[in-house]
Amino acid sequence: MDGKDRQILRELQRDGRLTNAELADRVNLSPSPCLRRVRNLEKAGVIERYVALVDREAAGYPVTAFVQVTLARHDRVVVDTFEQRVRETPQILSCHLLTGSSDYLLQIVVAGLDDYEIFMRETLHTTPGIATINTSFVYGTVKDIVELP
């Protein structure tokens, strides 16, 4: 990847709906080489996919929680069962493996505290192998971006 590829990535992260002609103009390339570079970035897996960013509150999910989960055991069955449950649960936006006192950090969105209670009772509490759950609710956001530097 060179500087021109990084310019392309920067522009596409800002607006993934740019036409190839608009993108080429912004990065000072002609359309054919620009398209070739974009296709190469896609083929190499640098560009994974194109998505629309949706306002959580406007979409009916104003409550965000970060949940730390510690497993009781770390055998293959417990880990696989937990991670499969995470993959199947739409309210869980992200799940990260951690070092430190917790095993996982989940980012969860729900419509309200009642929905969070249902989520806990029907999803996490019914998942075998969980030892502890620690929840922190977001009451404000200082920075939330998806663009890589």
Side-chain angles (χ1 to χ4, degrees):
M1 250 185 6
D2 62 12
K4 200 55 78 172
D5 289 335
R6 292 187 193 290
Q7 283 181 310
I8 289 170
L9 291 173
R10 188 173 18 261
E11 293 301 327
L12 286 175
Q13 285 183 110
R14 290 180 182 151
D15 184 356
R17 293 186 69 175
L18 288 172
T19 66
N20 184 58
E22 292 169 328
L23 178 60
D25 185 54
R26 288 188 186 187
V27 299
N28 298 316
L29 283 174
S30 59
S32 290
C34 183
L35 183 58
R36 187 170 33 259
R37 283 176 174 267
V38 170
R39 295 252 165 87
N40 286 338
L41 290 166
E42 292 169 347
K43 186 176 177 182
V46 177
I47 297 175
E48 291 181 25
R49 65 182 190 250
Y50 297 88
V51 299
L53 296 178
V54 177
D55 182 282
R56 295 174 188 173
E57 193 165 335
Y61 297 98
V63 176
T64 300
F66 287 94
V67 179
Q68 292 176 305
V69 174
T70 304
L71 299 180
R73 296 179 324 278
H74 296 93
D75 61 68
R76 185 82 285 165
V77 172
V78 170
V79 170
D80 288 348
T81 300
F82 175 78
E83 290 181 1
Q84 185 59 36
R85 176 67 61 96
V86 165
R87 286 185 200 94
E88 295 170 349
T89 306
Q91 296 95 329
I92 300 174
L93 299 185
S94 64
C95 174
H96 305 276
L97 288 161
L98 302 176
T99 61
S101 60
S102 297
D103 297 316
Y104 296 91
L105 178 66
L106 311 177
Q107 182 182 15
I108 297 168
V109 293
V110 290
L113 294 180
D114 291 344
D115 286 334
Y116 181 75
E117 179 182 1
I118 293 167
F119 167 81
M120 289 299 290
R121 289 179 185 270
E122 294 180 0
T123 303
L124 286 188
H125 289 168
T126 62
T127 303
I130 294 177
T132 62
I133 299 168
N134 183 358
T135 301
S136 296
F137 289 99
V138 174
Y139 70 90
T141 300
V142 175
K143 183 177 183 179
D144 184 19
I145 63 169
V146 295
E147 296 175 24
L148 296 176

